[in-house]
Each structure stands twice: as structure tokens, then as C-alpha cells.
């Protein structure tokens, strides 16, 4: 186990070390006036190719972090981000699946020796492969429906535990080179802490059923029905549609705006409707259906909110609205809002004016009727956090809010990838605390899909 972990760390560390060598070479070319735009982009292309090759082969927590990182390619300079976009998105499809013999073994052990009797047909070829498991397409014998059979890799738990040190080491190096605005180590640590939950398929099936009940017959969303859960196997109805990654890559602006609005609505409505929040909103977990609905997949990472307590999204909106309401430039009221939200502990002093500036930059989507998300906004927000680091160090996330905050951050990263223009403020006000202005609850009008 230890030797395998060291081997995986060695393979993973090759990515930032290779990037460092290439950047040093680029520095030499620049010193001699020989670094062209073409040669600089070639350096990034080779780094991105190596990233996909190494992370795609390692699976486990390493690949999972690669999927999250693919969302944040928007913080890189525009020409560089164009290089990384396609290659990092490929991480969602770049896993080497387990062979048919392994599928037979897991299905027999967890579902039973007669597992094939449940299916009229079962494709042993992999329909999709992810960090902790793979999906097979089949036909349910009971009613002839097409279904997705999700099977956890037999060694997923050992790989996940063995990935932790490798991920923390490599992402600290990689982000310091390629995206210094990100705290790669902190993000990796939070990710690895939460990934253990995704190994519990009973927990995942229960979350999917809760989302299904909350959004049943919804005009804007489709959550596939869970037909069976046993051990490391979940069988759900199959949903088609266009992967969100394809909309990001080639969708027209109406499609991007439509997908962005639905993703925003899901982020803000889920806690109000089922007491949970989808915790892994990367593009691979969504499909845009032909009827305009958003299909939602993968409920392994779910934030569960404690009833009777302020939601992390309510706290987020309270602080940003406090920053907006104060037009004096002195920051009066910001400290009180931050203390009510749990971001400032009693007795801790902070530069309120700088805090207000920080939240005005990061909270720009909440301050206008519609907001256009793009890489420039994300880079500005992260630059503001970096510039205000001494101020930020006086703050702390409230207990239980880190998971939801990460989910919100990844969701906003996807909106920036979509370059979607959405009524973000209205959706936030609609679904958060009942004493806010604007309608609250599930009676909002359905979103009209583009071209309807």
C-alpha cells in the first residue's frame, strides 16, 4: 500500500515539476527575447497534455481534483485557458475503466449470483467512467426502461486513501505555478475530506431519492429514479441529453444563458426544497435535455443542511447585501453582518472598509438584475481575495459551511465557463430567507428553453 502510494505521488508530481521546467525554459527564452506567443502556448499545451495523461490514469481522488480544477481554468489568462479547457474537460472522460470480469465479480458479490435476471440487456462496455466508479447502460427487465448501472471500483477506497498526500503535495505546487490565486492545498484538503462520503452508495441513493421527490414533475429539472441499490451498485433510470461540457464548448448564447439560469436555480432552490445542496456541480454531472430541462446526475457529494439554522447561502447573501447597502465607503455595518453570519467571531477586529471592498468584488452577481459571468469576473474576485489576504485572515467559515461554500464556488466557476448571463440576484432572493423581498418557494414560472 505504501509503495503504491509513493508511486502514485511520483507520477503526479511529474506534472508540476514538468511545468516548472518548461516555465524556467520559457524564462530563459524571454530573457533572450526569443519567447513568442506560439512557443509560450506550446509550453502550456504540453503541460495540459501531461496533466490529462497522469490524472486520467491515476483515478481516485487525483482525478476528482482534476475535475474540480477543470472548472477553474477560467482564472487563467484567456489564451492559456483556451489551451486547458478542452484537455481538462477530457478528464471527465479519461478514466481507464475496469474490465468486464471485474464488473461480473462486483455485481455477483453485491447484487447476487442471479443479477443478470434483473436486466433484459446489459452492456459490459463502459458508458462513462468517473473517479470512484463506472457506469454501464442496460435495460430493466421489469418495464423495459433504459437504466444506468453505477458500479464502484473494487479498490476505490484504498486508492482514495492513498491519494491524499499526493493530491495535497502536487496541487500546492501546480496552483502556485499556473493559478496562484487559488489555495490549492486548502481546496484539495476539503475535497479529500468529503470524498470519503462518496464511497457510501446507501447515502448517495438516499440523497438521490430525496432530490427526486423534491423535484418530481418539475418543469425545469429531471432527477433520475433510483430502481435498485445494493452495496457498491446503484441502478437508476437512464437520461440522455447534451452534456453541459458540450454546451460550454459549442453552445450558442441562448443555450448558455438557459443552462446558466437552471444551474443558478438549482443552487439556490435545493436547500429550500429538500434540505440539501448538490455538492459536486461540475459539468459532467448535468445534461441539457431536448425539452429544455436540466438533468441532474451523481448525488454522492451532497451538503445536508441542519433544519432550523441559517443556510450558508443566506449568510452569503446577507453579507453581500450589507456591502451593497453601505454607500458611505466606511464599511459601517459590514462587521455586524459578518458576525451575524458567523464569519467574524466576537471580539475579532477587522478593517471594515477593506472587507466591504472584498465582498463588493466577489458579490458582483448579486448587485444587478442580470449578470454576465466570465473568466474576467472570476479572476477579479480571486485577485480581490489575494489582495485582501490580511483582512481575510481575520475571517473564518462558520462550522458546516465549507462544503456548501465550495459547491457554490464550483457552480459559479461553471457559470463562468458557460459565459452565461442570468438573473442571479432574483433567483437568490426568490429562494432564500422568507423575510426577503420577492417570491419564495417552488411556484416560480418554468424557464422557457431557447427556441421554444
Amino acid at each position: 500500500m505504501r509503495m503504491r502510494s509513493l508511486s502514485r505521488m511520483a507520477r503526479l508530481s511529474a506534472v508540476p515539476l514538468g511545468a516548472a521546467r518548461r516555465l524556467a525554459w520559457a524564462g530563459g527564452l524571454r530573457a533572450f527575447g526569443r519567447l513568442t506567443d506560439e512557443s509560450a502556448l506550446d509550453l502550456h499545451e504540453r503541460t495540459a497534455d501531461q496533466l490529462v495523461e497522469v490524472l486520467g490514469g491515476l483515478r481516485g481522488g487525483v482525478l476528482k481534483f482534476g475535475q474540480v480544477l477543470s472548472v477553474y481554468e477560467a482564472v487563467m489568462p484567456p489564451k492559456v485557458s483556451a489551451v486547458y479547457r478542452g484537455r481538462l474537460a477530457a478528464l471527465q472522460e479519461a478514466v481507464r475503466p475496469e474490465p468486464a470480469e471485474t464488473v461480473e465479480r462486483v455485481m455477483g458479490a453485491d447484487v447476487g449470483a442471479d443479477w443478470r435476471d434483473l436486466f433484459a440487456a446489459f452492456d459490459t462496455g463502459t458508458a462513462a467512467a468517473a473517479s470512484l466508479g463506472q457506469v454501464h447502460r442496460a435495460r430493466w427487465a421489469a418495464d423495459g426502461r433504459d437504466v444506468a448501472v453505477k458500479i464502484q471500483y473494487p479498490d476505490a477506497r484504498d486508492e482514495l486513501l492513498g491519494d491524499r498526500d499526493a493530491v495535497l503535495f502536487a496541487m500546492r505546487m501546480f496552483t502556485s505555478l499556473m493559478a496562484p490565486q487559488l489555495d490549492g492545498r486548502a481546496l484539495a484538503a476539503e475535497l479529500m475530506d468529503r470524498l470519503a462520503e462518496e464511497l457510501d452508495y446507501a447515502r448517495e441513493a438516499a440523497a438521490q431519492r430525496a432530490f427526486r421527490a423534491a423535484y418530481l414533475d418539475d418543469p425545469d429539472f429531471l432527477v433520475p429514479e433510483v430502481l435498485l441499490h445494493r452495496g457498491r451498485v446503484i441502478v437508476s433510470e437512464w437520461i440522455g441529453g447534451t452534456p453541459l461540457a458540450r454546451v460550454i464548448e459549442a453552445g450558442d448564447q441562448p443555450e448558455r444563458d438557459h443552462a446558466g439560469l437552471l444551474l443558478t436555480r438549482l443552487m439556490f432552490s435545493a436547500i429550500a426544497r429538500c434540505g440539501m445542496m448538490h455538492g459536486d456541480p461540475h459539468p459532467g454531472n448535468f445534461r441539457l435535455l431536448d425539452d429544455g430541462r436540466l438533468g441532474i446526475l451523481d448525488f454522492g457529494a451532497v451538503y445536508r443542511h441542519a433544519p432550523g439554522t441559517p443556510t450558508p447561502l443566506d449568510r452569503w447573501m446577507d453579507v453581500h447585501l450589507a456591502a451593497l447597502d453601505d454607500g458611505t465607503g466606511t464599511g459601517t455595518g459590514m462587521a455586524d453582518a459578518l458576525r451575524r453570519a458567523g464569519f467574524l467571531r466576537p471580539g475579532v477586529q477587522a478593517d471594515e472598509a477593506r472587507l466591504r471592498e472584498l465582498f463588493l468584488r466577489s458579490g458582483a452577481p448579486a448587485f444587478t438584475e442580470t449578470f454576465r459571468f466570465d473568466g474576467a469576473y472570476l479572476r477579479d474576485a480571486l485577485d480581490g481575495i489575494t489582495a485582501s489576504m490580511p483582512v481575510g485572515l481575520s475571517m473564518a467559515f462558520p462550522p458546516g459551511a465549507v462544503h456548501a461554500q465550495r459547491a457554490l464556488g464550483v457552480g459559479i466557476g461553471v457559470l463562468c465557463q458557460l459565459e452565461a448571463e442570468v438573473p442571479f440576484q432574483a433567483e437568490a432572493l426568490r429562494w432564500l430567507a422568507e423575510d426577503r423581498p420577492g417570491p419564495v418557494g417552488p411556484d416560480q414560472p418554468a424557464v422557457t428553453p431557447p427556441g421554444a
Side-chain angles (χ1 to χ4, degrees), residues 157-363:
R157 182 174 296 277
D158 288 343
E159 286 192 346
L160 179 60
L161 295 175
D163 281 346
R164 183 179 180 87
D165 290 343
V167 171
L168 298 181
F169 167 75
M171 293 318 301
R172 180 173 54 190
M173 294 180 65
F174 185 80
T175 53
S176 68
L177 291 167
M178 309 307 297
Q181 307 98 319
L182 296 178
D183 185 349
R185 192 183 190 285
L187 183 57
E190 166 64 15
L191 177 73
M192 298 303 290
D193 289 342
R194 291 292 174 180
L195 267 177
E197 295 180 0
E198 296 191 43
L199 296 169
D200 187 345
Y201 274 16
R203 182 183 178 94
E204 177 174 347
Q208 185 170 333
R209 288 181 171 124
F211 269 85
R212 167 83 176 179
Y215 289 95
L216 191 63
D217 299 324
D218 190 279
D220 296 323
F221 303 102
L222 174 62
V223 178
E225 181 182 0
V226 175
L227 302 176
L228 174 80
H229 161 251
R230 291 180 189 170
R232 295 166 291 177
V233 178
I234 298 177
V235 180
S236 305
E237 65 176 321
W238 181 273
I239 62 174
T242 303
L244 201 59
R246 197 176 304 163
V247 177
I248 290 171
E249 181 181 357
D252 58 27
Q253 196 59 49
E255 288 176 314
R256 293 170 179 273
D257 292 346
H258 177 65
L261 175 55
L262 293 181
L263 185 61
T264 301
R265 180 164 291 176
L266 177 67
M267 285 193 297
F268 284 114
S269 68
I271 292 178
R273 294 179 68 167
C274 64
M276 301 182 188
M277 184 178 181
H278 194 291
D280 192 15
H282 72 76
N285 286 337
F286 300 99
R287 301 287 186 270
L288 197 57
L289 307 181
D290 291 342
D291 62 8
R293 289 182 296 170
L294 188 69
I296 311 168
L297 306 175
D298 199 338
F299 295 85
V302 170
Y303 165 76
R304 290 166 169 81
H305 182 65
T309 63
T311 74
L313 300 179
D314 276 308
R315 292 187 178 112
W316 181 87
M317 198 66 175
D318 281 340
V319 172
H320 285 86
L321 290 180
L324 179 66
D325 288 343
D326 176 17
T328 66
T330 64
T332 304
M334 278 298 298
D336 288 343
L338 287 164
R339 287 192 175 92
R340 285 195 303 271
F343 289 104
L344 273 183
R345 292 181 293 273
V348 174
Q349 301 300 313
D351 186 332
E352 296 187 5
R354 291 186 66 186
L355 282 171
R356 179 173 180 268
E357 180 182 357
L358 168 63
F359 280 94
L360 283 174
R361 292 175 74 169
S362 65

Side-chain angles (χ1 to χ4, degrees), residues 67-75 182 187 190 263 267-268 277-283 312-313 316 320 362 365 373-374 377-379 381-382 385 397 401-417 424:
Q67 292 172 341
V68 174
L69 183 62
S70 73
V71 171
Y72 282 98
E73 52 81 24
V75 304
L182 296 178
L187 183 57
E190 166 64 15
L263 185 61
M267 285 193 297
F268 284 114
M277 184 178 181
H278 194 291
D280 192 15
H282 72 76
L313 300 179
W316 181 87
H320 285 86
S362 65
F373 288 88
D374 56 21
Y377 156 70
L378 197 57
R379 286 190 297 274
L382 290 170
I385 293 172
F397 280 107
V402 176
H403 190 192
Q405 185 69 28
R406 184 181 72 83
L408 180 63
V410 173
I412 288 176
V414 176
L415 292 176
C416 291
Q417 285 187 299
F424 191 87

Side-chain angles (χ1 to χ4, degrees), residues 92-117:
Q92 295 161 11
E93 306 295 336
V95 189
R96 298 163 192 171
E98 295 286 352
E101 299 79 35
T102 303
V103 173
E104 293 270 359
R105 187 170 68 252
V106 173
M107 292 293 290
D110 287 29
V111 180
D114 58 350
W115 67 268
R116 283 193 175 273
D117 294 343

Side-chain angles (χ1 to χ4, degrees), residues 107-169:
M107 292 293 290
D110 287 29
V111 180
D114 58 350
W115 67 268
R116 283 193 175 273
D117 294 343
L118 297 171
F119 305 97
F122 188 98
D123 187 353
T124 56
T126 306
S131 52
L132 303 178
Q134 62 193 47
V135 176
H136 295 262
R137 189 165 185 171
R139 188 160 59 253
W140 197 236
D143 55 17
R145 268 189 287 181
D146 285 344
V147 295
V149 184
K150 183 175 180 179
I151 303 172
Q152 188 177 117
Y153 299 129
D155 55 356
R157 182 174 296 277
D158 288 343
E159 286 192 346
L160 179 60
L161 295 175
D163 281 346
R164 183 179 180 87
D165 290 343
V167 171
L168 298 181
F169 167 75

Side-chain angles (χ1 to χ4, degrees), residues 376-395:
Y377 156 70
L378 197 57
R379 286 190 297 274
D380 181 68
L382 290 170
D383 285 344
I385 293 172
T386 301
S388 302
M389 190 60 69
V391 178
L393 290 175
S394 65
M395 297 171 55

Side-chain angles (χ1 to χ4, degrees), residues 5-19 21-22 46-67 87-88 90-91 94-96 159 163 166-167 169-171 174:
S5 177
L6 290 174
S7 174
R8 290 163 68 80
M9 182 180 290
R11 289 181 62 190
L12 183 59
S13 64
V15 177
L17 291 175
R21 286 195 300 270
R22 286 187 282 272
R46 282 187 277 162
T47 299
D49 286 339
Q50 186 183 26
L51 182 68
V52 171
E53 179 184 359
V54 173
L55 294 187
L58 288 178
R59 289 196 324 210
V62 173
L63 175 57
K64 197 69 171 183
F65 194 95
Q67 292 172 341
R87 290 167 174 82
L88 287 174
L91 282 171
V95 189
R96 298 163 192 171
E159 286 192 346
D163 281 346
V167 171
F169 167 75
M171 293 318 301
F174 185 80

